[in-house]
């Protein structure tokens, strides 16, 4: 007797890779130039054009974590300076603050937007505050008017965590161009992927030039210039930097991903709208609609599972989705839920109640541009079966 055929597992955050990406990677490998080189330079140029800034204002790196770390160092803040960020983020946001020798301070989120609440930022400011790191959660822009006004009033650096926000705009202006730095992720699940990768966008050309040097050992000339066909160039180490450069092999994927960024965004927008409508009658809390005068990046579609209303706990819901062969995500358990931060700072999740509640109830449903109509109908049917 043959086994019943199982439905394929829907991988959460699966990238949509086309023949163009595959051919470019192959061409890169055949070229013999795998490391930082012409394809990285092209990706920087294309990314700058997409975000409507000068090519000299961006620097490609090997992750958003690297981008955040280097930006914090390039901001030249004094050791131990306080940096305010959101508890509803990936640990990398907070770890980058710590790696730069700075002191993270949490400010709770607005439960409707899931973004850092400007009033909570204001309340967290002390004489030692030097920077704010807003995260454009799920691709929804933070309230940048309010945040930049606070930064101006208190003379604070702003480093935008744009890991979810490649396409995001706030009042027609791209996310990442408000603060001193914007840090983007090209991780596999992100809206543009290079496998692993990231980009730093800087307002000030001197600071971004310093970030670029810091991202490659603190060397004054990058490897492309050292080993290109223009003759050997000596380099000087001018700072103690990091090994954070992007490879051409990664940029080969990113070039074609970026060319398709708006096509993929359209498809994710359709899926997002389909879920909003198809799940509206269930006892779930759905994300609020995108705000007026903004462009949502539609990076995540998150629903809240309140056990009392839904008849199932969040974690049982995750298991049931997995049994239905549908991959899901949790973005995120709030930062103070993790033992490292509790032990180091004495933080308790209850101190930031909105982030705690959201982190304990949230589930991200699949939102990849490669999902078919049949796939998303399967997702909705499974959610209805589990919650209904
Ligand atoms: C909000 C946020 N910040 C930073 C990062 C780190 O990005 P990367 O994996 O490119 O280092 C992520 C990645 O998941 C993220 O979601």
């Amino acid at each position: 007797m043959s086994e019943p055929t199982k439905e394929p597992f829907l991988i959460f955050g699966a990238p949509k890779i086309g023949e163009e990406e595959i051919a470019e990677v192959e061409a890169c490998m055949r070229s013999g130039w795998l490391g930082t080189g012409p394809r990285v330079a092209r990706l920087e140029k294309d990314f700058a054009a997409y975000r409507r800034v000068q090519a000299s204002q961006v620097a490609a790196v090997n992750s958003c974590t690297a981008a955040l770390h280097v930006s914090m160092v390039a901001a030249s803040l004094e050791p131990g300076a306080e940096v305010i960020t959101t508890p509803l983020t990936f640990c990398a946001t907070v770890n980058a603050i710590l790696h730069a020798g700075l002191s993270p301070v949490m400010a709770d989120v607005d439960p409707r937007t899931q973004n850092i609440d400007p009033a909570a930022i204001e309340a967290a400011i002390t004489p030692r505050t030097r920077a704010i790191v807003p995260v454009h959660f799920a691709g929804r822009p933070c309230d940048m008017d309010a945040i930049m006004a606070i930064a101006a009033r208190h003379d604070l650096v702003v480093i935008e965590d744009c890991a979810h926000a490649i396409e995001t705009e706030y009042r027609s202006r791209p996310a990442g161009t408000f603060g001193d730095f914007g840090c983007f992720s090209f991780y596999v699940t992100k809206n543009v992927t290079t496998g692993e990768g990231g980009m730093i966008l800087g307002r000030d050309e001197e600071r971004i030039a310093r970030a670029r040097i810091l991202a490659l050992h603190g060397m004054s000339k990058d490897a492309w210039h050292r080993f290109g066909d223009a003759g050997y160039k000596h380099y000087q180490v001018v700072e103690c930097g990091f090994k954070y450069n992007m490879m051409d092999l990664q940029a080969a994927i990113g070039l074609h991903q970026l060319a398709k960024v708006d096509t993929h965004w359209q498809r994710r927008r359709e899926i997002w709208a389909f879920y909003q409508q198809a799940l509206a009658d269930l006892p779930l809390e759905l994300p609020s609609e995108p705000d007026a005068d903004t462009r949502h990046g539609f990076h995540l579609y998150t629903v809240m599972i309140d056990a009392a209303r839904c008849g199932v706990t969040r974690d049982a819901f995750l298991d049931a989705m997995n049994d239905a062969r549908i991959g899901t995500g949790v973005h995120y358990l709030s930062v103070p839920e993790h033992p490292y931060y509790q032990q180091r700072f004495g933080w308790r999740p209850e101190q930031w109640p909105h982030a705690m509640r959201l982190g304990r109830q949230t589930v991200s449903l699949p939102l990849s541009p490669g999902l078919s109509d049949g796939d998303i109908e399967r997702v909705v049917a499974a959610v209805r079966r589990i919650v209904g």
Side-chain angles (χ1 to χ4, degrees), residues 197-327:
M199 192 73 77
I200 314 172
L201 192 160
R203 192 170 52 195
D204 176 297
E205 293 202 6
E206 263 176 46
R207 274 186 173 169
I208 191 79
R210 179 163 180 227
R212 182 184 279 280
I213 287 171
L214 281 166
L216 192 65
H217 300 295
M219 285 166 26
S220 58
K221 293 262 185 278
D222 66 24
W224 189 20
H225 294 123
R226 274 196 299 144
F227 301 120
D229 57 9
Y232 188 85
K233 300 271 195 308
H234 286 289
Y235 61 86
Q236 291 189 308
V237 176
V238 294
E239 299 214 44
C240 179
F242 310 96
K243 181 70 168 84
Y244 283 165
N245 54 307
M246 180 187 279
M247 298 173 72
D248 265 22
L249 210 44
Q250 296 165 300
I253 308 171
L255 283 169
H256 296 281
Q257 285 277 298
L258 188 59
K260 297 180 225 175
V261 63
D262 285 325
T263 316
H264 288 175
W265 177 84
Q266 289 287 0
R267 176 61 181 156
R268 290 196 316 277
R269 183 166 73 151
E270 260 173 41
I271 299 171
W272 208 95
F274 174 74
Y275 286 153
Q276 282 292 80
Q277 184 258 319
L279 303 174
D281 60 320
L282 295 179
L284 301 165
E285 189 185 324
L286 304 184
S288 63
E289 285 297 316
D291 302 292
D293 207 8
T294 68
R295 188 185 201 218
H296 196 302
F298 301 119
H299 173 58
L300 297 172
Y301 184 84
T302 62
V303 296
M304 299 298 150
I305 310 285
D306 174 354
R309 282 171 63 206
C310 297
V312 60
T313 66
R314 190 274 303 275
D315 288 357
F317 178 89
L318 294 172
D319 290 342
M321 289 296 278
N322 199 63
D323 291 344
R325 303 188 53 71
I326 295 168

Side-chain angles (χ1 to χ4, degrees), residues 44 51 66 131-132 136 161 164 171 304:
E44 286 175 340
R51 294 292 64 186
I132 309 170
H136 303 292
D161 182 332
H164 302 178
R171 301 202 195 290
M304 299 298 150

Side-chain angles (χ1 to χ4, degrees), residues 16-186:
K16 189 170 184 202
I17 301 291
E19 289 306 318
E20 301 86 347
E21 285 89 330
I22 294 168
E24 191 77 40
V25 168
E26 187 182 342
C28 177
M29 294 187 78
R30 291 189 192 284
S31 77
W33 196 287
L34 273 57
T36 307
R39 286 183 170 84
V40 170
R42 245 172 67 206
L43 183 64
E44 286 175 340
K45 198 163 140 275
D46 291 359
F47 188 84
Y50 183 64
R51 294 292 64 186
R52 307 196 292 275
V53 297
Q54 302 297 316
S56 56
Q57 285 178 267
V58 303
V61 287
N62 59 13
S63 69
C64 179
T65 308
L68 288 163
H69 183 195
V70 154
S71 299
M72 310 246 177
V73 175
S76 302
L77 305 175
E78 75 264 21
E82 290 180 2
V83 179
I84 298 175
T85 193
T86 165
L88 198 67
T89 187
F90 187 53
C91 58
T93 316
V94 180
N95 291 350
I97 296 171
L98 291 167
H99 287 313
L102 306 169
S103 189
V105 172
M106 302 279 117
D108 208 353
V109 296
D110 172 336
R112 186 188 68 80
T113 63
Q114 306 189 45
N115 278 328
I116 194 164
D117 179 350
I121 297 177
E122 193 77 67
I125 287 177
T126 76
R128 294 174 303 285
T129 308
R130 294 291 177 272
I132 309 170
V133 181
V135 177
H136 303 292
F137 185 85
R140 182 191 301 271
C142 293
D143 182 350
M144 292 314 292
D145 279 351
I147 292 172
M148 294 313 294
I150 294 171
R153 248 191 334 273
H154 298 273
D155 194 19
L156 305 176
V157 166
V158 174
I159 298 172
E160 299 175 63
D161 182 332
C162 301
H164 302 178
I166 290 169
E167 308 90 335
T168 298
E169 296 189 5
Y170 175 84
R171 301 202 195 290
S172 306
R173 190 167 149 188
T177 65
F178 291 84
D180 298 80
F181 294 101
C183 301
F184 296 83
S185 175
F186 303 142

